Amino acid sequence: MKEKAKNILFWFILVQPFLDLYWFYHGSLATILPFTLPTIIRLIAVAVLFCLFFSQKESWQKLSTQKWLIAYLILLIIYSVLHLVHVRTFTSVNPTNYGYSTSGELFYLIRMCLPLVILYLTKELNFGTKQLQQVIEGVSGLFSGTIVLSNLFVISLKSYETGVISANIFEWFFNPNIGYSHMASKGFFNFTNMISAVLFMLLPLLIYYLFTDFNWITITLNVVQALAMIEIGTKVAAIGLIGGILVGLLLYLFHRYILKNAKKNMLAVLVSLLIGAGSIAILPFGPAIQRYNYEIYLAKQSDHDLSDETRELNDGLKKYPTGQKREDFLRSFIKENYQAYALNPKFVFKSYPYRYDPEFWLKIINEPGQTRMENRHLEKAMLNQVVKTNDNKLDKFLGISYVRENNIFNLERDFAAQIYSLGWIGMLIFVGPYLAILLYAAYRWLRYQSARTYLVSSLIVSSAFILLAAFYSGNVMDFLTASFIFAFIEGNLLLQVRKTKTNTTINLNQN
């Protein structure tokens, strides 16, 4: 049964890119059932894996000895009950209560548990290094290959906005006026930031396989992923590509010449340097740099002469210093002038509608233009205002609910996002284990010489990369495609660092 569970888990992780196809989340396929089809498939798959694994008596016997895990499960259940009770009552200026539903929140908590189950099963099922390589290369090939080919034939979905791109990578060099939103390609996938984070996470492992299993397949996969990370057009992918190649190369050199446990492979060094040089040459023509330049332009535009608007605003506030007439004036002014202040219409009209709290948007209007342009600043400001209105000290520990936060705006900064939705306690329970495993692996790497393998180092860097991307751009820890792949990698990391001989404690000053 365990072997069958291992095979199912292997293919389950490998097909994650297919479960992130755009059409599963938009259009008729998204509404055909109460939940999206990928979510149902994932729920069934995890349930099958759980049943197969625990159909063996020895699995239950081993679980009974893992007291830390039993304590964690009890804590998780207690927290979930307290969280659901706490978030039911909420004070807000929005009469819709930000679309909160208990069933939606309960489903979110269940969804957050699924990758943790995969992490545990991956570690217990004892995957081999060859199977790990097949999964990593397969997932990378599916994501990157789809992005590159769809860009080449100009059929890729846009990374920003909706619709299909207008130009492929070859046209970038001849037409500088295409516009980043018409260039950036995400293949046929749904969440741009999530794909960027996954590719960033996979990069150190691809470079590891380039140095340890040098052949035309590993070379091709590295080249294709580099192109995909350029074409997707996000800062995480662009900066992550150059930084990831540099870190991957330094990691190899460290293991080759300091720890002396990596084989000499100068051809792989040459290939990695050529990929890095090629990426640096292409990036200035790509959507990430184009978008960066456009944001600078918008920031300057947002600080244009606002003397007429300021005069109108000051006259209105002077005429209506308090009361209902002041609010009516502010509503009218914000509706007519939000574009002059470069405010995101999604924020003003949908996320935290100006008509319910015009005073909040007055504060935002009075901020410098560059500050108003920072989406994450406005996302946090809106959420802070919601928390302030509710005025409940327990929000800090138990959260305001994922459903409310997501219906306002999904904060593009993981960990902070989970603090708002789940509170500090919930964030530590549901997201904290990933960081704890990374720190534990780093500890084992330092303490035991047998843990300091090139593979373990690459897995540690890979895990650190996605956590860094999650903090910087968000849309990782709450999205199952990324969190399942991450859980599989961390499960293998745990497996590898525990293949140590505890009697090989080293002197940290050696080497």
Side-chain angles (χ1 to χ4, degrees):
M1 284 297 181
K2 281 190 175 182
E3 197 60 35
K4 184 180 289 187
K6 184 190 289 188
N7 289 332
I8 292 173
L9 181 53
F10 173 89
W11 287 105
F12 176 62
I13 300 300
L14 201 55
V15 302
Q16 288 307 306
F18 293 109
L19 298 180
D20 192 57
L21 291 175
Y22 177 86
W23 299 281
F24 283 133
Y25 303 90
H26 302 272
S28 58
L29 279 177
T31 57
I32 195 170
L33 295 168
F35 302 114
T36 59
L37 191 58
T39 301
I40 294 171
I41 292 171
R42 284 164 171 151
L43 281 168
I44 293 172
V46 174
V48 169
L49 286 166
F50 182 88
C51 292
L52 282 174
F53 181 78
F54 285 105
S55 64
Q56 303 295 304
K57 185 178 179 181
E58 62 266 24
S59 298
W60 287 105
Q61 290 174 337
K62 186 172 183 179
L63 180 63
S64 65
T65 64
Q66 296 172 324
K67 295 181 180 179
W68 62 270
L69 182 57
I70 295 172
Y72 171 78
L73 292 173
I74 293 171
L75 182 62
L76 189 152
I77 293 169
I78 293 172
Y79 163 81
S80 298
V81 172
L82 292 175
H83 171 76
L84 290 171
V85 171
H86 167 71
V87 297
R88 285 182 63 185
T89 304
F90 200 82
T91 302
S92 69
V93 297
N94 193 321
T96 67
N97 198 17
Y98 307 110
Y100 175 77
S101 73
T102 300
S103 60
E105 191 67 14
L106 177 61
F107 178 69
Y108 170 70
L109 296 178
I110 293 171
R111 201 176 74 193
M112 289 293 283
C113 291
L114 298 181
L116 295 172
V117 175
I118 292 300
L119 197 161
Y120 177 79
L121 293 178
T122 301
K123 181 254 175 187
E124 293 296 323
L125 289 171
N126 197 19
F127 278 83
T129 55
K130 192 63 180 177
Q131 290 173 308
L132 172 62
Q133 180 177 355
Q134 290 170 339
V135 170
I136 297 304
E137 292 183 342
V139 170
S140 170
L142 288 170
F143 272 126
S144 302
T146 302
I147 292 170
V148 170
L149 288 174
S150 61
N151 174 276
L152 181 64
F153 292 104
V154 199
I155 56 175
S156 171
L157 298 174
K158 295 178 180 178
S159 296
Y160 305 98
E161 302 176 359
T162 57
V164 177
I165 59 171
S166 304
N168 66 20
I169 189 170
F170 294 109
E171 296 177 70
W172 298 356
F173 304 99
F174 304 104
N175 185 358
N177 300 315
I178 297 171
Y180 78 89
S181 66
H182 296 278
M183 302 163 64
S185 310
K186 64 176 181 180
F188 306 124
F189 305 111
N190 194 29
F191 299 110
T192 304
N193 283 353
M194 185 276 295
I195 303 165
S196 300
V198 169
L199 294 180
F200 186 36
M201 171 179 62
L202 296 177
L203 186 58
L205 294 172
L206 282 184
I207 294 172
Y208 166 79
Y209 295 126
L210 179 68
F211 283 107
T212 58
D213 189 19
F214 187 77
N215 55 55
W216 69 269
I217 294 176
T218 55
I219 295 171
T220 302
L221 285 171
N222 275 271
V223 171
V224 171
Q225 175 150 324
L227 285 172
M229 292 178 78
I230 294 170
E231 291 173 351
I232 201 168
T234 65
K235 292 177 184 176
V236 165
I239 298 171
L241 173 60
I242 303 304
I245 291 173
L246 179 61
V247 170
L249 184 57
L250 291 175
L251 193 63
Y252 167 73
L253 294 175
F254 176 76
H255 277 273
R256 174 72 184 94
Y257 295 104
I258 305 299
L259 296 183
K260 298 181 179 179
N261 58 2
K263 293 180 180 180
K264 184 179 180 180
N265 195 333
M266 297 311 295
L267 276 177
V269 171
L270 178 61
V271 169
S272 63
L273 288 173
L274 289 174
I275 293 173
S279 300
I280 292 172
I282 296 172
L283 275 171
F285 299 93
I289 301 299
Q290 298 287 339
R291 185 188 180 203
Y292 174 73
N293 292 334
Y294 183 67
E295 287 176 346
I296 293 174
Y297 167 77
L298 281 184
K300 291 178 179 178
Q301 288 294 104
S302 67
D303 274 333
H304 67 279
D305 184 11
L306 292 167
S307 56
D308 291 342
E309 289 84 359
T310 302
R311 190 181 305 110
E312 180 186 351
L313 178 61
N314 290 336
D315 289 345
L317 293 175
K318 186 176 180 181
K319 186 176 180 180
Y320 308 113
T322 58
Q324 185 63 45
K325 289 186 176 181
R326 173 188 170 95
E327 291 195 0
D328 291 340
F329 163 74
L330 283 175
R331 290 188 183 98
S332 176
F333 179 84
I334 293 165
K335 184 178 180 181
E336 293 175 5
N337 296 284
Y338 75 92
Q339 288 179 315
Y341 290 91
L343 295 176
N344 188 329
K346 289 182 181 179
F347 294 162
V348 177
F349 293 96
K350 184 179 179 181
S351 297
Y352 194 74
Y354 73 95
R355 62 186 182 276
Y356 299 133
D357 193 356
E359 292 289 346
F360 167 79
W361 288 107
L362 174 61
K363 293 178 183 177
I364 299 298
I365 282 173
N366 288 326
E367 292 181 342
Q370 190 169 356
T371 304
R372 295 194 304 269
M373 284 291 299
E374 294 177 5
N375 280 352
R376 288 178 183 82
H377 166 72
L378 289 182
E379 292 161 14
K380 290 188 72 174
M382 291 186 294
L383 291 168
N384 286 337
Q385 186 71 5
V386 170
V387 171
K388 181 180 177 182
T389 302
N390 189 47
D391 193 24
N392 188 327
K393 293 180 180 179
L394 287 178
D395 287 344
K396 183 183 296 184
F397 305 102
L398 297 174
I400 64 172
S401 90
Y402 170 79
V403 174
R404 286 194 185 93
E405 184 203 345
N406 197 52
N407 285 335
I408 296 166
F409 200 89
N410 189 18
L411 178 61
E412 295 173 293
R413 182 146 287 168
D414 281 341
F415 302 104
Q418 284 79 32
I419 289 172
Y420 281 109
S421 61
L422 299 170
W424 273 100
I425 298 174
M427 186 276 288
L428 291 173
I429 289 175
F430 285 100
V431 182
Y434 301 101
L435 180 58
I437 289 170
L438 177 61
L439 294 175
Y440 172 74
Y443 161 77
R444 298 279 296 193
W445 189 95
L446 288 170
R447 183 172 176 82
Y448 300 112
Q449 186 175 7
S450 57
R452 293 200 285 186
T453 68
Y454 187 15
L455 176 58
V456 168
S457 297
S458 299
L459 288 166
I460 288 174
V461 172
S462 172
S463 300
F465 273 10
I466 195 170
L467 289 175
L468 183 63
F471 176 76
Y472 178 77
S473 67
N475 298 324
V476 175
M477 307 310 297
D478 286 339
F479 293 84
L480 290 178
T481 301
S483 57
F484 275 138
I485 299 169
F486 182 28
F488 182 78
I489 286 175
E490 281 216 328
N492 278 282
L493 174 58
L494 269 180
L495 186 65
Q496 291 298 320
V497 296
R498 287 190 171 185
K499 288 181 178 179
T500 60
K501 298 174 182 178
T502 55
N503 61 348
T504 59
T505 304
I506 64 169
N507 183 343
L508 295 181
N509 292 323
Q510 90 179 52
N511 296 330

